[in-house]
Amino acid sequence: GAGVLLAVSALETASARIVVDSAGRRIEIPDRIERIVAAGPPASVLVYVLAPEKLVGWNRKPSPAEAAFLAPAAARLPEIGRITGRGGTANLEVILAAKPDLIVDFGSIANTYVSLADRVQEQTGIPYILIDGRFDNTVAAIRMFGDIAGVRERAEQIAAYAENVLREAAHAAQAVPPDKRPRVYLARRPNGLETGGRGSINTEIIERAGGINVADAALGEGGLYDASLEQLLAWNPDTIITVDRKFFETVRTLPGWSQIEAVRRNRVFLSPALPYGWIDFPPLVNRFIGLEWLSGLFFPQDRQSDLAETAAGFYRLFYQVEIDAAAREPLLGPLR
């Protein structure tokens, strides 16, 4: 499986080594990696969390609200655009001028991304590594990146934390039979009617935490789609998680929503989103705090620790920032 691909090859020379990335590409990289360009937002979060001192710039400059939850030196880094995605805005001259030792992409390893990586690598001469970003591969991806970037010790700390969160969430969920678990709807957009199907990257944290996603497979596996109010009334979720503040603030006044059990029982929860979303944006290591939060929300009898304390520990380890009392309100306000 993935573990085999992640081994760094023993073909090491004095100043370079060969690594095999998640797409099975053999790439020669320098022995010491000091400067890294992230191809897109998920990769920039990965690099920031594991090796902030090696990140050369952001795909999109953090907003002041986001920057408040990032280490000051990293928050000040320039914007260099993104190589991947429809919004590909990076100019290869800008990338070359940044003199990176490595370009990293974290996410899909589909052919589109492989050919993009090969093309950019050919045009710039900069090694370009693809790391599989599926949630099931996260722990292996953290260790793989740590190995490539020369930050093994930090990667091991983060990987161990992630493994522990996954283990605890699975344990809490398994203790409760499926018919007793919360039936959850993910509400996106101000009208709350965009949602993620079962098995989508948008809802996998909810499902991992033991919630039953009411947006069932009848609507096709995965992906985002628009639900109707009729569908929602038929599903009648007992818990709604939203990533949209406007929806959270107005749900009680939206026509028809007051009939839904979650709204009647006041079980509508707004996910924190600074500096990155806790549920699905970007779909990366930032979601481990979301998993801890949801697990505690769904199965409170299993949780001993206070959410503010848990969040403080996570932000200290992952983002290298202290959440003091002043920072709690903008971050956790809706949850309190």
Side-chain angles (χ1 to χ4, degrees), residues 203-241:
T203 58
E204 66 187 335
I205 293 299
I206 290 169
E207 293 159 25
R208 279 277 174 160
I212 307 294
N213 181 3
V214 295
D216 50 32
L219 296 152
E221 276 297 301
L224 288 173
Y225 56 81
D226 292 320
S228 67
L229 188 60
E230 289 68 38
Q231 259 169 341
L232 204 57
L233 289 165
W235 289 330
N236 199 22
D238 56 52
T239 305
I240 293 173
I241 304 293

Side-chain angles (χ1 to χ4, degrees), residues 98-111:
K99 296 193 166 50
D101 302 310
L102 184 69
I103 298 171
V104 174
D105 193 20
F106 181 77
S108 168
I109 52 170
N111 291 341

Side-chain angles (χ1 to χ4, degrees), residues 309-328:
E309 238 171 80
T310 302
F314 177 89
Y315 276 60
R316 188 178 300 123
L317 176 60
F318 280 64
Y319 303 142
Q320 299 112 65
V321 289
E322 287 298 331
I323 299 182
D324 54 18
R328 272 182 200 184

Side-chain angles (χ1 to χ4, degrees), residues 5-9 12 17-22 25 27-36 46-47 50-51 54 101-105 127-132 140-153 155:
L5 287 181
L6 302 184
V8 172
S9 162
E12 299 200 1
R17 57 197 168 125
I18 304 288
V19 296
V20 179
D21 74 0
S22 299
R25 296 158 65 250
I27 310 289
E28 186 174 315
I29 65 170
D31 243 1
R32 288 179 68 80
I33 303 283
E34 300 297 346
R35 297 175 62 75
I36 301 177
L46 184 74
V47 179
L50 290 167
K54 299 179 195 281
D101 302 310
L102 184 69
I103 298 171
V104 174
D105 193 20
Y128 190 134
I129 301 269
L130 291 167
I131 301 180
D132 179 354
I142 290 166
R143 292 191 168 116
M144 179 189 191
F145 177 80
D147 210 24
I148 288 170
V151 288
R152 281 197 188 92
E153 201 176 310

